[in-house]
Amino acid sequence: MALTDYFSGLQHVGIPASSLTEAETFWTKLGFKKIGDFPVGNVIFMQRQNLVIEAWTGDDIVGKPGAINHISLDVADAEAALVEAKKEGFNLIDHDIQHLPFWDKGIKFFNVQGPDGVIVEFCEIVK
């Protein structure tokens, strides 16, 4: 299999914020609703139809035009996807699976870096 066989599409876009309250207000005005609030990581998730925005505080890129930290692709098996990413020679930011306590059972993910510093996260929401 190839890495492309492990993801089904966009999971979310990661946009750092200076204030989660202001970010939530802004995205709400655009028709998004909050679907996740994780004080442990100072993170919120806002959704409108099939687009999810992840906002968090504490990133140096905040306030710069075009400040998108990463795009996240939805994977069913993060471990298998990481094996393929290694085989295919992607520029790995994470050489091991990372974990965060988001959603009911957490997430598993890893990041690769593309041209021009683009970060692509491969993220599995644990079921």
Side-chain angles (χ1 to χ4, degrees):
M1 294 182 73
L3 180 58
T4 56
D5 296 320
Y6 288 97
F7 65 89
S8 59
L10 182 66
Q11 186 181 95
H12 66 265
V13 177
I15 303 176
S18 58
S19 162
L20 291 182
T21 302
E22 289 178 19
E24 182 178 348
T25 299
F26 173 80
W27 292 108
T28 299
K29 282 183 178 180
L30 288 175
F32 286 72
K33 69 176 189 167
K34 184 164 53 174
I35 61 167
D37 191 341
F38 302 97
V40 170
N42 238 6
V43 176
I44 61 172
F45 287 84
M46 304 291 294
Q47 182 177 25
R48 177 173 164 119
Q49 296 176 354
N50 64 346
L51 178 57
V52 176
I53 303 293
E54 173 191 23
W56 70 97
T57 58
D59 193 306
D60 293 339
I61 198 169
V62 143
K64 296 182 174 119
I68 294 175
N69 174 278
H70 66 278
I71 64 165
S72 179
L73 302 177
D74 193 27
V75 297
D77 186 341
E79 285 95 351
L82 178 58
V83 168
E84 291 303 322
K86 288 177 178 179
K87 278 191 216 173
E88 295 174 27
F90 281 90
N91 183 9
L92 298 172
I93 294 171
D94 303 306
H95 295 273
D96 297 304
I97 295 296
Q98 307 298 302
H99 301 268
L100 283 170
F102 299 163
W103 310 116
D104 291 333
K105 297 183 180 179
I107 63 169
K108 297 187 232 181
F109 68 97
F110 68 94
N111 293 285
V112 302
Q113 188 163 23
D116 304 313
V118 170
I119 297 172
V120 178
E121 175 184 84
F122 293 83
C123 184
E124 174 186 351
I125 296 174
V126 179
K127 306 280 186 220

